[in-house]
Amino acid sequence: MTTTAAAAARKPATMAQALTRALHDAMAEDPSVHLMGEDVGTLGGVFRVTDGLAKEFGEDRCSDTPLAEAGILGTAVGMAMYGLRPVVEMQFDAFAYPAFEQLISHVSRMRNRTRGALAMPLTIRIPYGGGIGGVEHHSDSSEAYYLATPGLQIVTPATVADAYGLLRAAIASDDPVVFLEPKRLYWSKDDWSPDAPAQVAPIGRAEIRRRGTTATLITYGPSLPVCLEAAEAARAEGWDLEVLDLRSLMPFDDETVCASVRRTGRAVVVHESAGFGGPGGEIAARITERCFHHLEAPVLRVAGFDIPYPPPMLERHHLPGVDRILDTVARLQWESDWTEGRGE
Amino acid sequence: MTVLEQPGSSRHTSALPGPPPDWRPRVDPAPLLPDAEPYRLLGTDAARGLDAGLLKRLYAELVRGRRYNTQATALTRQGRLAVYPSSTGQEACQVAAALALEDRDWLFPSYRDTLAAVARGLDPVQALTLLRGDWHTGYDPHEHRIAPLCTPLATQLPHAVGLAHAARLKGDDVVALALVGDGGTSEGDFHEALNFAAVWQAPVVFLVQNNGFAISVPLAKQTAAPSLAHKAVGYGMPGRLVDGNDTPALHEVLTEAVRRARRGGGPTLIEAVTYRIEAHTNADDATRYRTDAEVETWRAHDPIALMERELTARGLLTDEFAAATRDGAERLAADLRERMNQDPVLDPMDLFTHVYAQKTSQLRDQAAQLRAELDAEQLPAQEARP
Ligand SMILES: Cc1ncc(C[n+]2csc(CCOP(=O)(O)OP(=O)(O)O)c2C)c(N)n1
């Protein structure tokens, strides 16, 4: 057994280890899978997600590139054209921006512009979000930018099992995937073990993480543990909250979301990225369009403030926490106020 | 005099320890530098030794290319093309680029390079799909190994590097040739592509068609580099300056660069000095930024005229060959005219077909909506298909 696998086999595994394992398994199964990015080789990535892979599979398959995000993604496009399955790492959320041109002008639309003749089976791994005390440009939640681009799939795991399963699915997908890794959960553990049979998690399906009846918290990625904690705390108020993990922002699972909201009649969308222009607005609109007659209250949002990501010593005031979620849930209860226009 | 004004002051010897030898410049830049004068063959003694068959082939392609350009320009006036960026005057670059490649190699063209694609064997109508507006790419890139015509400047260059790199990883001796304009060399993607190519020693050839202008902006406002070919030295690859209207010279330099890349010698940057005779596109007014006198100077250096002189001098431009060449070009134009004058058959439902490998539920809903709208218009898309 390799060092990587041996490390991963320790129980329970972290999300970072599950990701390493997913990359490892994908590379072992399919010789066309190639990893590339800044520091992914010898160092194993700044978060060590590619740890040991260059050693095991060689530097041609896990390669350190020059420091150039457009170059990384742009050359990956050419590699995909020649039949490889590149998996590129963008070192941090805010450093993926130089690659936007390639992402939007080529990666997202190559299948479309060539009528299906050229697929882009590539995965763009991006550590994202705050909560790790990072300095400026190390904590952005950039999902809304990707979400505004047809042709991309946008996937973000919130559990260790999903980190493995969704990354395997992303690499296997014949369409490009922006794979957002909630960096604050890299070191989180749950009962996933690398010894268990490898489960690929289908892209495009949301998962109910906690059943409830009072309202649905709709969330993804780094905010899932916060929502679960809020749901536990809400029991003291007599509220039984359902928690729904989207897992994939595109494709969007309208079916699971609407079924849940129709059951509970109330919904709160929770995410770290700014509320204005953020995914929550889109999700609230979809729910309103589809579930209006089932709603007992407007769909509310708990989001990061509409500010550039704050300095680390202030980030806890910015990130949606349990209290802010519970305060928002409390606002859902005053049904009559909404109808009388005193809701805000 | 400061140290900046006086390179060579490093010849002083110092008794103190310096940086380790490994950290000093690794390559002598001199062999990477282009010559001051563009490389030329036509009109030189060396031209006498050129293969007659090759000369005739290049000439025939140039004439076809010119006819293709004038026909496509005419089609814009008839409203058959939304836009056409003509390569009139630049046919030598287009033809030489296409003919320097083997079948298994890949060409990465920009919007101006439809002729290069046609010279490589692509159906002229398929090459014009983007510019007619019926779809973005009118051909299967794998069929002739031609990447989609690329509109955002220089973004095709990293693709070429990635493809060439992938081919080498797979053990295939495939070369990628990427075309870019002088304006495109200012883009970040130009820099990143050249840097990746040199670091990876990828089998890529970059051909800059320096036609003097990026829409209206002249080269002097684009770059302060001595020449665009000089940029190569900063990446550690050879840069070569060629007369872009001298078809055999370009063909020779490109062929040699392709051969070198195929043998594992790494990338080359070639600057072809040429001129765009027509405006940027049919929508542009070139009189705002250049004089008729300048255009006339370049007409005297026309790639076809230069070749005709050479062929005549060698007795190769017989009446028979000239007529056959003209006929071939006219056939191409007539075919293009006829087929472009037919309305393309479009299926609106195609809008949803190739967004993802499988339609999302949202796209299925939207497809159903459009279907209903079409039915209501009593224009069933299915029946529009022949
Ligand atoms: C990224 C980008 N910016 C701007 C444009 C608009 N544009 C189209 S052609 C052009 C000039 C390009 O000049 P050059 O690279 O010299 O190529 P040429 O058209 O002369 O062949 C510009 C600015 C573009 N296509 N892409």
Side-chain angles (χ1 to χ4, degrees), chain A residues 295-344:
Chain A
L295 286 174
E296 309 281 347
V299 182
L300 298 183
R301 286 171 289 170
V302 184
F305 295 128
D306 299 333
I307 57 173
Y309 197 85
M313 292 172 85
L314 290 171
E315 67 179 341
R316 69 186 176 85
H317 300 291
H318 167 75
L319 293 171
V322 170
D323 288 345
R324 201 174 292 161
I325 295 171
L326 292 179
D327 286 350
T328 308
V329 172
R331 286 167 55 207
L332 288 175
Q333 305 303 308
W334 306 322
E335 293 152 46
S336 55
D337 284 3
W338 295 115
T339 47
E340 287 160 28
R342 285 185 279 115
E344 276 300 322

Side-chain angles (χ1 to χ4, degrees), chain B residues 66-88:
Chain B
R66 176 65 50 87
R67 190 66 188 90
Y68 172 78
N69 271 322
T70 53
Q71 185 59 62
T73 303
L75 287 165
T76 59
R77 288 196 207 103
Q78 295 154 19
R80 280 293 171 180
L81 284 177
V83 68
Y84 185 67
S86 162
S87 59
T88 297

Side-chain angles (χ1 to χ4, degrees), chain B residues 65-379:
Chain B
R66 176 65 50 87
R67 190 66 188 90
Y68 172 78
N69 271 322
T70 53
Q71 185 59 62
T73 303
L75 287 165
T76 59
R77 288 196 207 103
Q78 295 154 19
R80 280 293 171 180
L81 284 177
V83 68
Y84 185 67
S86 162
S87 59
T88 297
Q90 299 180 218
E91 289 94 345
C93 300
Q94 302 282 303
V95 163
L99 299 195
L101 296 176
E102 305 281 337
D103 279 353
R104 62 190 178 289
D105 298 332
W106 276 74
L107 179 74
F108 286 77
S110 81
Y111 52 84
R112 196 177 297 288
D113 305 316
T114 38
L115 175 56
V118 171
R120 188 163 166 74
L122 183 64
D123 174 359
V125 172
Q126 290 184 351
L128 289 171
T129 305
L130 170 80
L131 301 166
R132 174 156 67 171
D134 40 331
W135 203 261
H136 303 306
T137 303
Y139 52 93
D140 178 344
H142 287 286
E143 202 179 316
H144 294 280
R145 284 150 308 281
I146 302 170
L149 298 170
C150 190
T151 311
L153 295 167
T155 53
Q156 73 277 20
L157 306 181
H159 305 172
V161 177
L163 181 133
H165 179 60
R168 212 155 66 115
L169 289 175
K170 286 191 166 190
D172 300 341
D173 64 344
V174 165
V175 176
L177 190 155
L179 298 166
V180 66
D182 40 301
T185 63
S186 300
E187 289 282 357
D189 277 23
F190 173 83
H191 158 66
E192 298 192 23
L194 267 72
N195 191 48
F196 269 70
V199 170
W200 283 347
Q201 286 293 287
V204 195
V205 178
F206 302 98
L207 175 60
V208 180
Q209 294 174 77
N210 172 9
N211 63 14
F213 293 94
I215 306 186
S216 66
V217 179
L219 187 68
K221 285 189 186 171
Q222 198 66 243
T223 179
S227 80
L228 296 171
H230 274 83
K231 291 186 178 236
V233 69
Y235 301 102
M237 71 175 79
R240 292 293 173 253
L241 195 56
V242 190
D243 183 332
N245 288 12
D246 184 330
T247 324
L250 250 178
H251 184 261
E252 183 187 325
V253 173
L254 283 167
T255 308
E256 187 46 46
V258 167
R259 190 178 305 144
R260 193 171 151 274
R262 201 183 310 285
R263 282 198 309 250
T268 309
L269 174 66
I270 297 166
E271 174 185 354
V273 181
T274 183
Y275 195 78
R276 153 162 74 65
I277 294 290
E278 305 286 337
H280 171 66
T281 66
N282 55 301
D284 171 41
D285 174 10
T287 62
R288 281 172 167 259
Y289 54 85
R290 65 187 194 186
T291 61
D292 289 346
E294 181 181 290
V295 182
E296 285 318 308
T297 313
W298 276 95
R299 279 193 203 280
H301 189 57
D302 182 86
I304 297 179
L306 293 181
M307 279 290 270
E308 280 174 354
R309 266 197 228 175
E310 193 70 43
L311 289 170
T312 309
R314 291 197 34 193
L316 296 170
L317 195 62
T318 59
D319 288 348
E320 203 183 7
F321 173 59
T325 302
R326 236 178 1 251
D327 286 353
E330 284 310 322
R331 273 199 307 279
L332 168 83
D335 175 61
L336 191 58
R337 239 182 356 252
E338 191 193 314
R339 288 162 67 208
M340 291 295 284
N341 277 324
Q342 293 158 13
D343 289 327
V345 179
L346 304 178
D347 182 352
M349 298 312 290
D350 272 0
L351 290 175
F352 304 100
T353 310
H354 301 295
V355 185
Y356 296 97
Q358 269 104 39
K359 278 194 197 73
T360 61
S361 63
Q362 291 82 21
L363 287 180
R364 277 199 303 274
D365 289 349
Q366 289 161 30
Q369 181 191 343
L370 181 61
R371 175 85 267 161
E373 285 171 15
L374 292 170
D375 289 346
E377 278 176 24
Q378 294 181 321
L379 272 175

Side-chain angles (χ1 to χ4, degrees), chain A residues 9-273:
Chain A
R10 256 180 287 130
K11 280 190 194 177
T14 64
M15 180 179 279
Q17 287 167 335
L19 293 166
T20 310
R21 182 59 193 268
L23 294 171
H24 174 277
D25 291 357
M27 292 175 89
E29 270 175 35
D30 181 353
S32 67
V33 175
H34 281 246
L35 270 43
M36 54 201 275
E38 295 156 11
D39 305 291
V40 300
T42 310
L43 184 68
V46 293
F47 292 104
R48 303 291 181 272
V49 171
T50 55
D51 194 18
L53 298 175
K55 213 168 192 176
E56 183 164 354
F57 295 101
E59 284 177 18
D60 275 350
R61 292 199 53 206
C62 180
S63 54
D64 285 330
T65 62
L67 225 165
E69 291 74 17
I72 294 169
L73 192 52
T75 51
V77 168
M79 291 165 76
M81 285 169 82
Y82 205 78
L84 299 185
R85 271 181 196 274
V87 181
V88 308
E89 177 175 302
M90 296 286 152
Q91 203 155 61
F92 278 91
D93 33 55
F95 306 142
Y97 302 149
F100 258 57
E101 159 74 338
Q102 286 293 338
L103 185 73
I104 282 137
S105 292
H106 296 296
V107 171
S108 66
R109 58 177 93 191
M110 192 66 89
R111 171 184 293 282
N112 186 254
R113 63 204 281 241
T114 62
R115 288 181 187 268
L118 282 184
M120 280 289 116
L122 57 82
T123 304
I124 304 151
R125 295 182 36 242
I126 310 177
Y128 84 119
I132 63 157
V135 295
E136 197 181 13
H137 302 297
H138 290 76
S139 300
D140 283 17
S141 296
S142 35
E143 60 269 32
Y145 304 127
Y146 306 117
L147 205 46
T149 306
L152 299 176
Q153 301 175 91
I154 299 129
V155 171
T156 177
T159 68
V160 180
D162 267 2
Y164 180 89
L166 287 170
L167 186 51
R168 291 303 307 273
I171 297 171
S173 172
D174 285 334
D175 287 320
V177 179
V178 175
F179 192 84
L180 298 169
E181 300 175 1
K183 63 173 91 75
R184 124 162 91 108
L185 299 184
Y186 269 143
W187 304 280
S188 71
K189 297 176 183 182
D190 57 31
D191 52 10
W192 184 80
S193 152
D195 305 328
Q199 291 259 311
V200 174
I203 293 174
R205 222 180 287 157
E207 191 83 61
I208 308 279
R209 299 293 182 191
R210 186 188 193 281
R211 288 270 166 195
T213 53
T214 318
T216 306
L217 298 181
I218 296 164
T219 191
Y220 55 87
S223 294
L224 176 67
V226 188
C227 286
L228 288 170
E229 200 185 325
E232 279 310 303
R235 294 196 330 183
E237 306 287 333
W239 303 328
D240 178 20
L241 297 180
E242 181 145 313
V243 179
L244 184 149
D245 174 8
L246 286 171
R247 302 156 100 216
S248 152
L249 296 173
M250 178 54 65
F252 186 83
D253 187 352
D254 282 307
E255 202 182 315
T256 306
V257 170
C258 290
S260 171
V261 175
R262 283 179 185 151
R263 272 198 307 277
T264 61
R266 294 174 174 85
V268 176
V269 188
V270 183
H271 59 62
E272 279 186 25
S273 69

